[in-house]
Amino acid sequence: MYKRNLLFTCLAIAAACFFTFTAQSQRVDSLLSNLETRFPQEKIHVQFDKAFYNAGETVWFKAYITADNLPGPLSKNLYADLLDDKGTILQRKMMPIILAGAASNFDLPDTIRSTRLYLRAYTSWMLNFDSSLLFVRPIQIIAAKSAAKKTPVPTTYELDFFPEGGDLVERIASRVAFKATDNQGIPIAVKGDIVNGSGKKMGAFSSLHEGMGFVELTPMPGEKYKATWKDKKGVLHETDLPAAKKEGAVLSTSLFDNKLLYTIKRPDSAKAENTSFYVIGQMQQRLVYSARINMSKKTEITAPIETDSLPTGVLQVTIFNADYLPIAERIVFINHDNYYFITDVHVTEKNLAKRGRNGIQLDVGDVLLSNLSISITDAGINPVSSHEESIYSQLLLTTDLQGYVYNPAYYFSSTNDSVKTHLDLVMMTNGWRRFKWTEVLAEKWPVLKNVPENFLSVNGKILGLNKALLYQKDVTGIMKMKNGSTNFFTMKVDEKGEFKEPDLYFFDTAKLYYQLNNDKDKTLTTSSTFSFQSNFIKTPQQPLSFLSSLPSLHKADSSLLVKSSTMAALQRSQVESNRVKTLTTVEVRAKQKSLKQQMDEEYTSGFFSGGDGYTFTTEGDPFARSATSVLQYLQGKVAGLQISTSGEGGATWRGSPTSFFINEVTSNTGALASINMNDVAMIKVFRPPFFGGVGGGAGGAIAVYTKKGGGDNSQIKGLPYTNILGYSPIKEFFSPDYEKSPDPEVADYRTTLYWNPFVFFDKNSRRIVIPFYNSDNCKKMRVTIEGINEQGQLTREEKIIE
């Protein structure tokens, strides 16, 4: 009877432990699911036109934004700050995010003396999380001759050790990775010995790649170990290895075909909580693997994780003990070589002579919607360097890692086994940065102060009126853009006196005239106080230490810097010379602009300026005067555009609905049908895809511009107004056409020959030919292309024309 009761007792204890373990594992799964659904992470990569800049030059950049490695970011607005070395914001840009991309520029002052500035890019959603996750990149400024020389910082060297899985455990063989660098973050080759406390040699080590390598070690109880090594100058150093623990587990991994094999080892004698383990594998905060491991009778076990269904990226494997404390962790890069799409680059015309005409052809074989950017620069001033980041390495690798990765683009240059081995050294010498398990288990969630923004909005509040006077009130808004176009809308007022107009889309600034409805004599409007604000967030406050923690910029070849600064000085002198000539010359020569060009300059802005499509001006057009609506007027005028005039009407292109805009503000067929053709100044029809506004895309777009003048002003005369800030104005990259305007008297010292941040492809547009002209001095050209498609695949192509 006693034995039987004892058996029941043991079974009950085992069952209780099992159910406790199961409940705990379900809790971990639930916590991770909460992290994924409530706190998704956005990432940013920025392509610059070149690596070095001079005072007075323009920094052109294109940002790519993803969420969970997919091209559908939560946010629709991107912010970029230009900072000095004290963290002071010199300039700020606000941009719309279109198909995971946003672009702008910073004009550097002529008077700048700093040799290092910073570009910080972020969304409002990213400000809810650790500020170290914001994109921050140093920008090297070539010092002017008058800049004061700084005392060079003495070069020092350091060697760090990283036990695989996190800790050394007594009597268990482990791999210990290491990384040797100087104080600028540059890796150095290193070799040395591992010795114990009595000085006995326990093994030797030597770096395999970029100062990284590993050494095998079985730590013994009570022993301490250190590495003896020499730096580049031959100076002897000693570095202590991490102390070994008596309790714990050692985790090691190896990739084999479509499997990741992980091995857990524990000491022969271990506490009960360290004999049962729970293994979690996560990618982008998404649970991809879980297992319960019982090692009560084993000291070593190996298990597989099938990886063929996992996405490309960083996999974090964490081992929890029975008390659900994380005791070992390893990150591994899973690479299925399916993260990219191919962009073929062909030179269709090559002429490296002074101002020679050149041409390149881009082909995207895929039928998916793709968003690319292209930079063509003087390769003699902007050569390929060994420390550049690429769209692959930034979005798939370095944004998820703690610590600095030297030459990250290298790890995506080949699928050779040697590159994979070198990448695994990066995994062993860096940690996961997105979240900490201790905080997740304690349910310390980020405080969400900002929600993802959906383009622009105007938020307002009425003060001085009671609820009775506010009942069923609307605010009529008339927004007049800087280019003269006007947009009308009505905003509902709630019981608190608050109102809002969402989904706006305009550049620069606009005047918003306002009045309460049914307020003929403006009695209520003038007796109350209106407050307005845009949805743009305030600049984030980051500690100055975040700048000093960034890696130092790598020094470029001195001859390159001299050449670049010389070109910049010549360009500045040319600008000054042109200014003087303009003031003193008598003869003024100007090319006559067509009516359409004049109207485009007067009425359009941002993505609506220029563009691929058709422009119709109503002045002198008898069909415009006789048409009953905009859609009727356009019928039969644009090949491929299908227009229906029944009911309110509608339009499609290639089977997709066409987007409508009135004065560059998103509209609908009802508003379009209400416009009298006598009030229309210009109509622009954009071929698909069009990304100039909310909902734009596969069906192209129709943008209607109403006439400026007394008609509009009569409606706003006497109304109060406020200025509303829109997106930062878009500066157009100047690309000369020397066939039409040779202008031999003006020297051409450009170092960026061509820049286009928005090159779109889809199933009907899979090839584009780009013509451009050489400068007066370039002998070799560098073409750099990056991009993303609608499935999140990335592209990067480099080509040298010489």
Side-chain angles (χ1 to χ4, degrees):
M1 179 66 69
Y2 172 77
K3 290 183 178 181
R4 184 178 180 184
N5 290 338
L6 179 62
L7 177 62
F8 283 147
T9 301
C10 292
L11 289 173
I13 293 174
C17 292
F18 173 79
F19 286 118
T20 299
F21 200 96
T22 301
Q24 285 281 22
S25 64
Q26 291 175 344
R27 177 174 177 266
V28 172
D29 294 352
S30 175
L31 292 175
L32 199 56
S33 176
N34 186 57
L35 197 64
E36 175 195 354
T37 55
R38 290 185 57 201
F39 310 101
Q41 299 288 298
E42 292 180 317
K43 301 179 183 180
I44 294 176
H45 166 69
V46 174
Q47 178 188 358
F48 296 90
D49 63 313
K50 58 182 182 178
F52 307 99
Y53 297 90
N54 293 274
E57 289 190 317
T58 298
V59 178
W60 302 95
F61 65 91
K62 164 75 172 289
Y64 292 93
I65 307 94
T66 63
D68 293 336
N69 287 348
L70 295 174
L74 305 172
S75 307
K76 294 295 187 293
N77 294 338
L78 181 75
Y79 302 84
D81 302 328
L82 184 67
L83 311 174
D84 65 13
D85 53 5
K86 295 181 176 59
T88 303
I89 297 177
L90 305 178
Q91 298 178 44
R92 193 188 199 205
K93 301 287 183 173
M94 290 81 76
M95 298 150 277
I97 299 175
I98 306 297
L99 189 60
S104 192
N105 65 277
F106 288 116
D107 292 325
L108 301 178
D110 290 334
T111 56
I112 195 168
R113 291 292 178 263
S114 301
T115 59
R116 188 177 187 182
L117 299 178
Y118 302 86
L119 186 144
R120 176 175 62 189
Y122 52 92
T123 67
S124 61
W125 179 253
M126 293 174 70
L127 297 182
N128 292 312
F129 309 101
D130 195 308
S131 61
S132 65
L133 298 176
L134 305 184
F135 177 93
V136 182
R137 185 58 44 83
I139 300 174
Q140 181 160 336
I141 310 299
I142 300 174
K145 292 182 179 180
S146 59
K149 291 186 178 180
K150 294 183 178 180
T151 304
V153 178
T155 301
T156 58
Y157 304 94
E158 62 181 46
L159 178 65
D160 295 301
F161 287 90
F162 307 87
E164 185 174 17
D167 292 311
L168 291 171
V169 179
E170 292 178 354
R171 300 185 186 279
I172 298 181
S174 300
R175 289 196 304 173
V176 183
F178 61 84
K179 179 166 65 174
T181 63
D182 65 15
N183 55 329
Q184 304 295 316
I186 308 298
I188 60 170
V190 67
K191 62 180 180 180
D193 297 321
I194 304 295
V195 298
N196 64 11
S198 60
K200 180 180 178 181
K201 179 179 177 179
M202 308 302 295
F205 64 91
S206 178
S207 55
L208 300 175
H209 174 73
E210 303 289 21
M212 297 179 293
F214 67 89
V215 61
E216 299 277 358
L217 180 67
T218 303
M220 301 307 294
E223 280 283 10
K224 294 183 178 180
Y225 301 90
K226 63 183 177 182
T228 59
W229 55 283
K230 290 184 178 181
D231 62 28
K232 292 174 66 175
K233 298 176 181 178
V235 178
L236 182 65
H237 296 264
E238 292 185 351
T239 302
D240 292 332
L241 269 68
K245 294 184 174 182
K246 295 182 180 295
E247 282 278 343
V250 170
L251 170 65
S252 60
T253 65
S254 60
L255 280 167
F256 181 76
D257 290 336
N258 288 326
K259 290 184 176 63
L260 173 69
L261 300 178
Y262 66 90
T263 300
I264 304 174
K265 301 176 186 177
R266 69 164 181 85
D268 292 335
S269 58
K271 296 179 180 179
E273 64 266 23
N274 290 329
T275 59
S276 294
F277 303 101
Y278 184 51
V279 184
I280 283 286
Q282 70 85 21
M283 300 183 75
Q284 304 304 315
Q285 305 182 163
R286 183 177 294 113
L287 181 70
V288 296
Y289 176 83
S290 64
R292 179 186 177 223
I293 305 294
N294 185 350
M295 295 183 63
S296 58
K297 296 182 179 180
K298 294 182 179 180
T299 59
E300 180 176 337
I301 192 168
T302 298
I305 298 177
E306 301 290 340
T307 62
D308 52 354
S309 62
L310 300 183
T312 293
V314 178
L315 166 67
Q316 179 194 32
V317 180
T318 306
I319 309 298
F320 297 86
N321 67 7
D323 290 336
Y324 270 78
L325 297 175
I327 61 171
E329 185 172 283
R330 177 74 149 85
I331 56 174
V332 182
F333 193 83
I334 305 299
N335 187 356
H336 296 304
D337 207 32
N338 61 351
Y339 56 85
Y340 64 90
F341 64 95
I342 296 174
T343 302
D344 289 320
V345 184
H346 303 283
V347 178
T348 58
E349 189 176 0
K350 183 173 75 171
N351 187 348
L352 296 176
K354 178 179 178 180
R355 306 191 183 191
R357 177 186 166 95
N358 295 266
I360 60 170
Q361 176 181 299
L362 307 183
D363 291 279
V364 175
D366 212 331
V367 299
L368 298 174
L369 197 57
S370 306
N371 181 0
L372 280 67
S373 49
I374 176 171
S375 169
I376 304 176
T377 55
D378 185 338
I381 292 178
N382 186 44
V384 179
S385 65
S386 61
H387 58 271
E388 291 184 0
E389 190 88 69
S390 73
I391 192 171
Y392 300 143
S393 60
Q394 179 75 34
L395 294 180
L396 297 176
L397 180 65
T398 57
T399 52
D400 289 333
L401 301 183
Q402 286 182 339
Y404 171 60
V405 179
Y406 181 80
N407 192 14
Y410 160 78
Y411 302 104
F412 295 86
S413 63
S414 170
T415 57
N416 293 339
D417 289 342
S418 60
V419 176
K420 294 179 180 178
T421 300
H422 298 161
L423 177 54
D424 199 48
L425 290 174
V426 174
M427 297 293 101
M428 294 177 68
T429 55
N430 291 273
W432 174 257
R433 69 185 301 207
R434 289 285 164 183
F435 64 85
K436 296 177 182 178
W437 272 115
T438 52
E439 294 181 355
V440 173
L441 292 172
E443 299 190 37
K444 293 182 178 179
W445 306 115
V447 178
L448 298 180
K449 297 180 180 179
N450 302 305
V451 297
E453 296 171 323
N454 190 24
F455 295 101
L456 306 181
S457 66
V458 173
N459 304 288
K461 187 171 185 177
I462 303 173
L463 303 174
L465 297 182
N466 58 37
K467 290 184 179 181
L469 293 174
L470 290 173
Y471 181 67
Q472 292 187 343
K473 285 295 181 182
D474 297 332
V475 174
T476 299
I478 305 174
M479 184 171 284
K480 199 169 186 63
M481 315 302 177
K482 210 165 187 179
N483 62 5
S485 58
T486 305
N487 182 46
F488 297 84
F489 47 81
T490 300
M491 297 171 280
K492 293 286 185 183
V493 180
D494 65 17
E495 60 180 10
K496 296 179 181 180
E498 297 177 350
F499 53 91
K500 181 178 181 178
E501 179 65 18
D503 300 338
L504 296 174
Y505 189 97
F506 64 95
F507 292 82
D508 210 334
T509 56
K511 284 187 176 181
L512 176 60
Y513 295 84
Y514 55 92
Q515 180 182 1
L516 286 167
N517 66 325
N518 300 323
D519 188 21
K520 185 176 180 181
D521 297 324
K522 307 183 185 68
T523 303
L524 292 178
T525 302
T526 55
S527 62
S528 56
T529 301
F530 287 71
S531 65
F532 294 88
Q533 64 180 22
S534 67
N535 60 321
F536 287 137
I537 58 171
K538 296 181 180 180
T539 54
Q541 299 297 319
Q542 281 183 283
L544 188 59
S545 57
F546 87 98
L547 293 180
S548 59
S549 65
L550 295 174
S552 299
L553 289 165
H554 304 292
K555 294 181 179 178
D557 182 82
S558 58
S559 62
L560 182 153
L561 298 179
V562 170
K563 183 178 180 181
S564 179
S565 60
T566 301
M567 290 297 103
L570 290 171
Q571 194 167 17
R572 285 195 297 270
S573 65
Q574 181 68 57
V575 171
E576 179 63 21
S577 175
N578 291 343
R579 187 184 70 83
V580 173
K581 287 180 180 179
T582 302
L583 292 175
T584 58
T585 187
V586 175
E587 180 185 0
V588 178
R589 293 169 292 176
K591 182 180 178 181
Q592 185 67 35
K593 295 180 180 178
S594 67
L595 176 61
K596 291 182 179 180
Q597 289 176 318
Q598 294 175 24
M599 296 281 284
D600 199 79
E601 290 183 2
E602 181 181 357
Y603 280 88
T604 66
S605 64
F607 291 106
F608 295 87
S609 180
D612 180 23
Y614 305 83
T615 300
F616 303 95
T617 58
T618 59
E619 184 178 335
D621 186 348
F623 296 103
R625 291 195 296 270
S626 61
T628 58
S629 68
V630 170
L631 291 178
Q632 186 202 24
Y633 172 75
L634 289 175
Q635 271 188 316
K637 289 183 177 290
V638 179
L641 179 65
Q642 303 296 317
I643 290 179
S644 169
T645 56
S646 59
E648 290 186 344
T652 60
W653 205 328
R654 298 172 182 169
S656 299
T658 301
S659 301
F660 300 110
F661 301 89
I662 299 176
N663 298 321
E664 300 183 357
V665 177
T666 305
S667 189
N668 52 47
T669 52
L672 210 66
S674 66
I675 295 178
N676 189 316
M677 280 299 297
N678 290 322
D679 296 328
V680 174
M682 179 175 65
I683 302 171
K684 297 192 71 173
V685 180
F686 295 91
R687 294 188 182 92
F690 175 71
F691 300 94
V694 183
I702 297 173
V704 179
Y705 294 85
T706 55
K707 292 177 180 178
K708 303 176 182 180
D712 289 338
N713 291 330
S714 64
Q715 298 180 59
I716 62 178
K717 185 177 180 180
L719 292 182
Y721 71 88
T722 185
N723 290 315
I724 303 295
L725 184 64
Y727 291 118
S728 301
I730 294 178
K731 178 180 178 179
E732 185 177 358
F733 179 83
F734 172 69
S735 185
D737 185 345
Y738 285 127
E739 288 185 355
K740 294 181 179 179
S741 178
D743 206 358
E745 296 181 2
V746 179
D748 185 348
Y749 299 114
R750 290 173 300 133
T751 55
T752 299
L753 306 177
Y754 182 84
W755 168 257
N756 189 342
F758 290 107
V759 182
F760 297 109
F761 295 87
D762 65 359
K763 63 181 180 180
N764 298 301
S765 177
R766 297 161 61 182
R767 170 176 292 177
I768 185 172
V769 177
I770 298 174
F772 65 96
Y773 290 86
N774 194 11
S775 65
D776 290 351
N777 301 277
C778 179
K779 305 301 179 185
K780 183 167 65 173
M781 304 172 185
R782 178 185 177 186
V783 181
T784 306
I785 297 167
E786 292 190 326
I788 190 171
N789 67 21
E790 59 184 321
Q791 287 189 349
Q793 291 177 306
L794 311 172
T795 191
R796 178 181 171 90
E797 298 293 337
E798 286 264 7
K799 194 174 190 67
I800 298 295
I801 303 175
E802 56 184 343

